[in-house]
Amino acid sequence: DTAVSQTPKYLVTQMGNDKSIKCEQNLGHDTMYWYKQDSKKFLKIMFSYNNKELIINETVPNRFSPKSPDKAHLNLHINSLELGDSAVYFCASSQDRASGKDTQYFGPGTRLTVL
Amino acid sequence: KQEVTQIPAALSVPEGENLVLNCSFTDSAIYNLQWFRQDPGKGLTSLLLIQSSQREQTSGRLNASLDKSSGRSTLYIAASQPGDSATYLCAVSGGAQKLVFGQGTRLTINP
């Protein structure tokens, strides 16, 4: 009965490869997010989708492309991986702000290591 | 640009003590503020959310306060236990529905 799940949990790959991380939430939320936590443990927003529409794109390189096939899923595809992409990527979801219940719930994270 | 600062960066206290974690933010035009805990190698667990119109929220031994005008929030933990050891993160949400995080306070409760 996991609320926000991500796959895979660990991802080790070579520089230049293309990889995807998947996220699913079963909370019925309208909004989903991708955050990046760097080696210094600093968390920063990357993208946000509301009802399958992109609403936040925080100057992330266009090698990163989110895709939301439906409200419950938000996947992250990364092209031409670079060493600096190594980080932990967290997916999160929340109700729309208009509901007044916009607590964000986070997935367990995907630790990406680029060699 | 919103910036969130948490002080101290690390804190170690004996079991049973009450303690306060601090969070400050530069832009007072926030929508809400959220406190999380993160255990090593794990995701974030939401502890408390305070809407901008509220002054405090309580959950069990945790109490979070918000002073929006001064750009400050505190997380009070009563009767600390070893299981409270974790990194505590403060995050604010402004005009866009995104969270801006502080660097966190790494808390260690010594038995």
Side-chain angles (χ1 to χ4, degrees), chain A residues 9 37 88 90 107-109 111, chain B residues 37-45:
Chain A
K9 190 169 172 61
Q37 188 171 42
V88 181
F90 286 100
R111 182 175 294 277
Chain B
R37 72 173 276 168
Q38 184 174 26
D39 293 284
K42 305 281 187 183
L44 280 69
T45 301

Side-chain angles (χ1 to χ4, degrees), chain A residues 42-59:
Chain A
F42 187 58
L43 263 161
K44 192 170 180 185
I45 183 79
M46 298 175 70
F47 300 103
S48 173
Y49 270 72
N50 180 270
N51 281 317
K52 302 194 298 176
E53 286 193 28
L54 179 67
I55 55 172
I56 293 174
N57 182 342
E58 285 285 301
T59 61

Side-chain angles (χ1 to χ4, degrees), chain A residues 33 42 58 95 97 102-103, chain B residues 32 34 93-94 97-98 103:
Chain A
Y33 314 80
F42 187 58
E58 285 285 301
Q95 294 276 33
R97 177 171 282 176
D102 54 341
T103 298
Chain B
N32 59 46
Q34 201 165 347
S93 178
Q97 196 170 340
K98 66 178 184 182
Q103 293 274 55

Side-chain angles (χ1 to χ4, degrees), chain A residues 33-45:
Chain A
Y33 314 80
W34 278 110
Y35 288 86
K36 179 181 179 181
Q37 188 171 42
D38 62 25
S39 57
K40 295 182 180 178
K41 307 296 183 186
F42 187 58
L43 263 161
K44 192 170 180 185
I45 183 79

Side-chain angles (χ1 to χ4, degrees), chain B residues 17-21 61-62 75-80 84 88 107:
Chain B
E17 280 201 6
N18 303 324
L19 58 100
V20 175
L21 307 180
R61 294 182 293 108
L62 305 179
L75 179 67
Y76 175 83
I77 302 177
S80 58
D84 295 330
Y88 289 79
L107 176 65

